[in-house]
Amino acid sequence: MARKETKVEPTWLTADELHTWKTLHYVVATLPSFLGERLRCDADLSFIEYYVLAALSEQPGHAMRMSQLAVLAGSELSRLSHLTNRLAKRGLVRRETDPTDGRFTNAVLTDAGYALVVETAPGHVEQVRQLIFSTLTKTEQHALRSALDKIAAGIAIC
Amino acid sequence: MARKETKVEPTWLTADELHTWKTLHYVVATLPSFLGERLRCDADLSFIEYYVLAALSEQPGHAMRMSQLAVLAGSELSRLSHLTNRLAKRGLVRRETDPTDGRFTNAVLTDAGYALVVETAPGHVEQVRQLIFSTLTKTEQHALRSALDKIAAGIAIC
DNA sequence: AAAGATTGATCGATCAATCTTG
DNA sequence: CAAGATTGATCGATCAATCTTT
C-alpha cells in the first residue's frame, strides 16, 4: 500500500527558467576571460585589476578606501590587499593611511595608473559596447537592467 | 585656428548603459562565490566543480568528452584536466578513453558522484530560484533570456 | 601535421591567523 | 574588543611545453 513520502520533491526550474539560468551561468563563466584577454594584451591587466583602477579613476582625488573598493569589486579584502601590492609594485597605485582615522587605508591612483586607464578604456569600452549593447534593443536593455538590479540586490543583502 | 583632432573620441556608454554594465559586472564578479559558498558547505565543491558533475549527470551514460565539457563549462581544457584529477581522487569521476577514437577522453560520473549531485541539487536549485526567478516577472525573465542569449552568442563566436 | 589531452611551473585567490587603531 | 587591513600558507587557475592518436 502506498504511503506518504517523507522527502518532498523540491521545486525544480521550468524548461524556460533552466535555459535562462544556463545561459547566465555561461556568461558569468566566460565574460571575465573574454574581456580580460584584451586587457591583458593591451595593458597587462586582469579584468578585476582594470576595474579597480577604473573605479579609482572615477573617485574625487582618485582615492578610495580598501574596504569600499572590495565591496565595489565584489571581492574580499584580503584578495584586494594582495592585488594592491601587485599594482603598487608596478607603480600604478599607492597606499595612504587616512589621516583622520588610522584604521582606514586609501588606495590612490598614481599618474601612471591614471594614464594607463585613460589609454586602455576606449578599447575596452568599445568591446563592451559591441558585445552587450550593440545587439540589444532599448526594450531588452531596460529589461536586462531591471532584472540585473534585482539579482544584484539579492546578492548584496547577504 | 581650430584644426581637426587626429584622435577620435570613442563612443562612450550612456548613463543608462553604464548602469546596466556595472550591475552586470557586479553580478558576474559575485555570483560564483555567492552560490559557491553553499556548495562548498554542503558538498565541498566549487561552483565550477558542481556544474561539471551536474552536466555529466544530464548526459546519457553520465559521460562526456573532456573537450565538450570544457566548452560547456566555459573553461579551458587544461583547467578541466586538473579539475578532473581532483574529482577523480575523490572518487566522483573517472576517465575512459573513447574506444572508437583514442584521441578522445570521456569523463564519467561514478555512482558516488551521481549520488552527490542528487543530494546537492535541491538546495542549490532552491538558491538559484530564490535569487533569480522569485524576484522576476515573466516579462523580465523573457527579456533577460533573450538578452543573455545574444550576449552568449557574441562570446561563443570567438 | 593537427586535434585532444595531460603535465609541471608559475601566478593569482582563498583561508586562517595576525596586527593596528580607535 | 571590534573593525579595517595585512600577511603567509595552501589551494586552484593559467601558461607553455609535451605527449598521443589519427
Side-chain angles (χ1 to χ4, degrees):
Chain A
M1 191 171 127
R3 83 182 154 75
K4 206 175 165 194
E5 287 291 331
T6 50
K7 269 201 181 174
V8 196
E9 191 66 12
T11 312
W12 296 110
L13 301 178
T14 66
D16 232 38
E17 289 170 341
L18 196 59
H19 176 98
T20 304
W21 167 237
K22 284 189 177 177
T23 314
L24 177 56
H25 179 262
Y26 181 79
V27 169
V28 164
T30 54
L31 197 62
S33 58
F34 178 78
L35 295 173
E37 230 166 87
R38 173 143 184 195
L39 293 169
R40 177 68 60 196
C41 178
D42 289 358
D44 196 27
L45 293 171
S46 71
F47 192 53
I48 184 171
E49 284 170 340
Y50 171 81
Y51 272 89
V52 164
L53 297 181
L56 289 176
S57 77
E58 290 181 358
Q59 297 300 314
H62 291 176
M64 206 170 171
R65 289 180 180 166
M66 295 293 283
S67 43
Q68 279 184 276
L69 205 46
V71 172
L72 202 142
S75 155
E76 296 177 20
L77 203 40
S78 163
R79 182 183 179 189
L80 206 75
S81 184
H82 286 299
L83 192 153
T84 302
N85 284 341
R86 295 195 301 270
L87 296 177
K89 271 181 197 160
R90 292 170 60 183
L92 302 173
V93 144
R94 66 173 180 277
R95 283 183 164 88
E96 279 177 13
T97 303
D98 188 323
T100 72
D101 186 335
R103 285 174 300 184
F104 295 106
T105 304
N106 286 314
V108 189
L109 203 56
T110 63
D111 292 347
Y114 184 68
L116 187 62
V117 172
V118 169
E119 186 189 329
T120 312
H124 177 65
V125 170
E126 175 58 22
Q127 209 184 5
V128 170
R129 230 173 41 74
Q130 281 278 344
L131 182 68
I132 316 273
F133 299 106
S134 73
T135 61
L136 300 183
T137 66
K138 273 257 178 294
T139 311
E140 278 173 334
Q141 206 237 108
H142 280 102
L144 177 64
R145 173 183 170 153
S146 66
L148 288 172
D149 278 342
K150 288 183 179 181
I151 296 170
I155 294 175
I157 55 172
C158 295
Chain B
M1 192 171 123
R3 83 181 153 76
K4 206 176 164 192
E5 287 290 332
T6 51
K7 269 200 179 174
V8 196
E9 190 67 12
T11 312
W12 296 111
L13 302 178
T14 66
D16 232 38
E17 289 170 342
L18 196 59
H19 176 99
T20 303
W21 168 238
K22 284 190 176 176
T23 314
L24 177 57
H25 180 262
Y26 181 79
V27 169
V28 164
T30 54
L31 197 62
S33 58
F34 179 78
L35 295 173
E37 229 166 87
R38 174 142 184 195
L39 293 169
R40 177 67 62 196
C41 178
D42 288 359
D44 196 26
L45 292 171
S46 71
F47 192 53
I48 184 172
E49 286 170 339
Y50 172 81
Y51 272 89
V52 164
L53 298 181
L56 289 176
S57 77
E58 290 180 357
Q59 298 299 314
H62 291 176
M64 208 170 173
R65 288 180 180 167
M66 296 293 281
S67 44
Q68 280 185 276
L69 204 46
V71 173
L72 202 142
S75 156
E76 296 176 21
L77 204 40
S78 163
R79 181 183 181 190
L80 207 75
S81 185
H82 286 299
L83 192 152
T84 301
N85 284 341
R86 295 195 301 271
L87 295 177
K89 271 181 197 159
R90 291 171 60 182
L92 301 173
V93 145
R94 67 171 179 279
R95 282 181 165 88
E96 279 177 13
T97 303
D98 188 323
T100 72
D101 186 335
R103 286 174 298 185
F104 295 106
T105 305
N106 286 314
V108 189
L109 202 57
T110 63
D111 291 348
Y114 183 68
L116 188 61
V117 172
V118 169
E119 186 190 328
T120 312
H124 178 65
V125 171
E126 175 58 22
Q127 209 184 2
V128 170
R129 231 173 41 73
Q130 281 278 343
L131 182 68
I132 317 274
F133 299 106
S134 73
T135 62
L136 300 183
T137 65
K138 273 256 178 293
T139 311
E140 279 173 333
Q141 206 237 107
H142 280 102
L144 177 64
R145 173 181 169 153
S146 66
L148 289 172
D149 278 342
K150 289 184 180 181
I151 296 170
I155 294 175
I157 55 171
C158 296

